Amino acid sequence: ILSLLAETITHTSTNPLTKIIILQSGGERTFCAGASFDELASIQTPEEGTHFFSGFANVINAMRKCPKFIIGRIQGKTVGGGVGIAAATDYCMATQFAAIKLSELNVGIGPFVVSPAIERKMGVSATSQIAIDANTFYEASWAREKGLFAQVFPSLEELDAAVWAFAQHLCTYNPEAMLEMKKVFWRGTDDWDTLLAERAAISGRLVLSEFTKAKLEKFKS
């Protein structure tokens, strides 16, 4: 899924008829639940682990390099890598049900791959808070206060209306101006291809630790 998402973003960004990309998921109350415990438990080697965690890295880098503005439509709870994907959008809108959590430390790893994107949006203090407090969902209002969400709406219907109206409005802007603005907004991230690959390797190693294996078995049972 992550590979397809990265490829789709990259392919769509080259279409001259595309002016704005809206990133959303299905369902009503969950945007992204993060990595599957079953998938994490199936990793057998550091190489497999690096490849697995590179999925989130590839999506974030595709979003970073995309010449179009990407609007995030976050309709519900988002965990782990999902928070990183939300942070990598250029303008993120959510419902009041879009609580966020970084649960990685709870299973013995950490949000190494996604934390650069989250830190870029929310700052070091807020990022470290949710990364260390790995058992807590933080409300959408808190995420807005810290800069992850630009707007929060009471209902899914109001969110969809606002996202569509905002996208339509952006389509009236000069594409060249939006491209140059995106370059400015993402300035200083040219090393992320290497950085996120290195972070994926850290997670790929930690997921094989005895601590994490025991934790995953406990959660699965």
Side-chain angles (χ1 to χ4, degrees), residues 3-182:
S3 177
L4 180 60
L5 180 57
E7 291 172 5
T8 301
I9 292 170
T10 300
H11 175 73
T12 304
S13 69
T14 63
N15 186 341
L17 298 179
T18 300
K19 294 186 176 181
I20 301 295
I21 294 174
I22 300 171
L23 182 63
Q24 65 182 57
S25 71
E28 295 185 0
R29 292 294 178 89
T30 303
F31 172 72
C32 178
S36 159
F37 287 152
D38 288 336
E39 289 180 322
L40 291 174
S42 70
I43 295 172
Q44 299 296 320
T45 67
E47 291 75 20
E48 289 181 8
T50 300
H51 177 74
F52 176 83
F53 288 103
S54 292
F56 287 104
N58 293 338
V59 171
I60 291 173
N61 277 322
M63 296 170 71
R64 173 177 66 88
K65 297 174 184 178
C66 176
K68 321 286 186 179
F69 281 152
I70 300 176
I71 301 172
R73 181 255 198 195
I74 316 300
Q75 84 282 19
K77 287 184 175 180
T78 183
V79 179
V83 182
I85 291 175
T89 63
D90 298 298
Y91 195 95
C92 202
M93 305 162 78
T95 70
Q96 62 178 327
F97 309 108
I100 65 171
K101 179 168 71 170
L102 292 181
S103 59
E104 288 88 342
L105 190 60
N106 198 28
V107 295
I109 52 178
F112 298 107
V113 171
V114 298
S115 61
I118 300 170
E119 182 179 322
R120 171 183 168 270
K121 262 297 175 63
M122 302 177 67
V124 175
S125 178
T127 302
S128 61
Q129 181 177 341
I130 58 175
I132 294 172
D133 187 9
N135 288 317
T136 301
F137 269 106
Y138 283 78
E139 297 296 329
S141 57
W142 183 88
R144 180 184 182 185
E145 177 187 333
K146 300 302 180 182
L148 178 63
F149 300 146
Q151 300 180 62
V152 174
F153 298 89
S155 69
L156 180 58
E157 292 74 20
E158 289 172 274
L159 170 64
D160 282 338
V163 167
W164 184 249
F166 188 62
Q168 295 272 54
H169 189 64
L170 287 179
C171 285
T172 66
Y173 291 167
N174 183 350
E176 292 184 23
M178 290 190 286
L179 169 61
E180 294 302 325
M181 285 182 67
K182 179 142 185 176

